Amino acid sequence: MTRPCHGPDFSHSLFYLTLLLWTRRMSGLADFSNYLSRIITSHSAQACDGQPLRLHCPRHSTISIQSAFYGSGGARLCRPDPDTPLGAHNHSCSALTALQKLLSECQSHRDCQLPVNHLLFGKDPCPGTTKYLHVDYKCKPTEHKRHVVCEGETMVLRCKPPKVLNIYAAVYGRSLGQLDTCPSHLTRPPPFECLNHEAVHLVSKSCYSKQKCTVAVSNQTFRDPCFPGTRKYLRVVYSCVPQSLLREADPNIFSSTSSPTVDTGKAPPADLEESLPKGSRRPENSGAMMSSSLLTYAYIKEHPEMAALLFTSSVCVGLMLTLLAVSVRVTCRGRQLGDQRLTPTPGSQAVNLQEEDSDEEDEEDDDDGEEGTESSFISAAERKAMPGWEEVTYVSEAAERAERIERREMIIQEIWMNAYLNGSSC
């Protein structure tokens, strides 16, 4: 009978090691997916007077302020002060320095925390009224694209399909120390910065979630923040993201005319989808496959150490599993061969019994020969003289024959019993 084969004891530890590596890999992929959703979508945070406001972005990304509002709007987001009379509440006040203050405190930082108080923004816009701070921001990745276009020119942004544009920041004006950017030979640059950070809304309106867009850089498009005669430029920070990812992160982009925080202004490019047959799903599948490959490439480029670790661990796990399978197979095969050698078959038992019978017959013949030789020393005259010699010889031969027949029958019964037992165990 074949005994059950058990693998080596280290198979359990190998299984747990594989499970641990797979869990680490899945958690890494989940973190990467969360990272992509964080850097693609827009975020908002708000806090009332007396509360802290915190802005946070994941690793390899920084804060990019889109808009900021401090005051008291039409929506009552904070509980009014019970000690303040009702006539003192003004629901249409705002601080003009809110955006500039947030840009100076939180722009290009990974984590920012501010106490919400009217002292932070200068003069109280509406004394005695409960106010709040609302901020819209994005998490700008460390690897992004920049594009600068001088005043009077046309800015063109494009991404290769299936990627679309995602705008993080846009500033129109002129910064200090940028003498080589769009130089002007007629007028000297101003001794201070004159920047229009609200240009991000107009650029996002024209370019967000599109593969190509054009924007005219002029004072007719953007508000002029500088003195007359100052030559300005438009600086845009953007990235190209897969369209499928942007659709999953912000599904309202392709179903409405505006995003939750940034006004897009135009309807989504539905003509590209309507030009295809209704039953055709091949372009969408190919885009998904392309976006998956792009995500893989982006992950490897962003985390080369983790990618190398995952590749090395996958190769090691594969080799260990192969070695485990080979060792288990060799061990089981060796045990099966050993069991087959130890357990004789009925045919082999019969052959062995026949050989034993033939050996016994040969031994008996040899004994007879020896007896014959011994008896040959007795002369014929002495045999005749001995009384009952012939009867004794006949009785001894008959007894030996009967004993031999009885032994053969017992051997045959043992063979049948072994054959029956082997058949019942199968």
Side-chain angles (χ1 to χ4, degrees):
M1 296 177 63
T2 304
R3 291 177 295 177
C5 179
H6 299 284
D9 295 335
F10 67 88
S11 60
H12 298 285
S13 60
L14 181 60
F15 172 74
Y16 291 132
L17 177 61
T18 306
L19 184 62
L20 178 61
L21 293 176
W22 181 257
T23 306
R24 290 288 301 274
R25 184 177 181 182
M26 289 296 104
S27 62
L29 293 177
D31 294 340
F32 178 62
S33 177
N34 186 25
Y35 169 77
L36 287 177
S37 62
R38 290 278 293 172
I39 66 174
I40 287 176
T41 57
S42 299
H43 310 281
S44 62
Q46 63 184 17
C48 300
D49 276 336
Q51 298 178 354
L53 177 73
R54 186 190 178 192
L55 308 180
H56 177 73
C57 284
R59 291 187 303 174
H60 307 291
S61 64
T62 56
I63 298 171
S64 178
I65 302 297
Q66 305 292 305
S67 64
F69 173 84
Y70 176 73
S72 179
R76 295 184 179 181
L77 301 178
C78 301
R79 292 182 179 180
D81 190 359
D83 298 334
T84 304
L86 296 176
H89 292 285
N90 184 4
H91 300 293
S92 60
C93 64
S94 62
L96 300 178
T97 59
L99 179 59
Q100 191 63 35
K101 188 63 177 178
L102 264 295
L103 289 171
S104 62
E105 295 290 338
C106 300
Q107 185 74 1
S108 300
H109 291 276
R110 184 187 168 191
D111 190 88
C112 178
Q113 187 168 354
L114 294 174
V116 180
N117 194 292
H118 70 276
L119 299 177
L120 185 67
F121 305 99
K123 185 180 178 181
D124 193 348
C126 43
T129 302
T130 303
K131 296 169 287 295
Y132 64 91
L133 175 62
H134 181 88
V135 181
D136 294 326
Y137 69 99
K138 285 187 176 182
C139 292
K140 177 180 63 179
T142 53
E143 294 185 3
H144 54 266
K145 298 181 180 180
R146 294 177 179 269
H147 193 47
V148 179
V149 179
C150 300
E151 182 182 3
E153 300 177 0
T154 302
M155 182 193 68
V156 180
L157 301 179
R158 59 168 57 90
C159 292
K160 294 182 180 180
K163 291 187 174 183
V164 292
L165 293 166
N166 190 20
I167 307 299
Y168 291 102
V171 180
Y172 178 69
R174 194 168 193 88
S175 301
L176 288 175
Q178 302 291 333
L179 300 178
D180 297 334
T181 304
C182 300
S184 177
H185 303 285
L186 301 178
T187 59
R188 296 181 60 182
F192 54 86
E193 286 186 341
C194 51
L195 301 174
N196 179 11
H197 292 276
E198 296 178 355
V200 64
H201 301 297
L202 296 174
V203 176
S204 298
K205 178 179 178 180
S206 302
C207 301
Y208 182 63
S209 73
K210 295 181 180 180
Q211 293 181 354
K212 181 181 178 181
C213 69
T214 58
V215 177
V217 182
S218 63
N219 293 332
Q220 287 76 23
T221 306
F222 305 100
R223 179 180 58 84
D224 190 357
C226 303
F227 286 115
T230 303
R231 192 179 186 190
K232 298 165 287 294
Y233 54 86
L234 176 64
R235 183 175 68 246
V236 180
V237 178
Y238 70 101
S239 65
C240 295
V241 299
Q243 184 178 5
S244 59
L245 265 179
L246 188 63
R247 180 179 298 175
E248 291 178 2
D250 195 358
N252 296 325
I253 288 298
F254 301 94
S255 60
S256 62
T257 57
S258 63
S259 64
T261 59
V262 180
D263 189 8
T264 57
K266 292 186 180 181
D271 52 346
L272 296 175
E273 299 179 358
E274 293 177 358
S275 60
L276 297 173
K278 292 184 178 180
S280 177
R281 293 293 180 182
R282 187 171 182 177
E284 185 177 355
N285 294 334
S286 62
M289 293 174 61
M290 182 64 68
S291 63
S292 299
S293 61
L294 291 174
L295 284 179
T296 305
Y297 174 74
Y299 179 76
I300 294 174
K301 188 175 181 181
E302 185 69 23
H303 305 84
E305 296 85 359
M306 181 61 70
L309 178 61
L310 290 176
F311 176 76
T312 306
S313 61
S314 301
V315 173
C316 294
V317 169
L319 292 176
M320 293 177 69
L321 290 176
T322 304
L323 181 61
L324 176 63
V326 171
S327 61
V328 169
R329 182 177 179 84
V330 171
T331 305
C332 294
R333 194 177 186 87
R335 290 186 179 182
Q336 290 177 358
L337 292 177
D339 294 337
Q340 289 179 359
R341 291 175 182 176
L342 293 175
T343 305
T345 58
S348 62
Q349 290 181 353
V351 172
N352 294 332
L353 291 174
Q354 290 179 1
E355 292 178 356
E356 292 177 359
D357 293 341
S358 61
D359 293 339
E360 290 177 357
E361 291 177 358
D362 294 338
E363 291 177 359
E364 291 175 357
D365 293 337
D366 294 338
D367 294 339
D368 294 339
E370 291 177 358
E371 292 176 356
T373 54
E374 292 176 357
S375 61
S376 60
F377 290 103
I378 303 174
S379 61
E382 292 178 352
R383 292 177 182 173
K384 291 180 180 180
M386 294 177 63
W389 173 263
E390 294 180 357
E391 294 180 0
V392 170
T393 303
Y394 177 75
V395 171
S396 61
E397 291 178 355
E400 291 177 357
R401 191 178 296 109
E403 183 180 359
R404 192 177 301 172
I405 292 173
E406 183 178 359
R407 188 184 302 171
R408 287 182 181 177
E409 289 179 354
M410 292 176 62
I411 292 172
I412 292 172
Q413 289 181 0
E414 289 181 0
I415 292 173
W416 281 107
M417 287 295 293
N418 290 332
Y420 175 75
L421 292 175
N422 290 331
S424 63
S425 63
C426 295

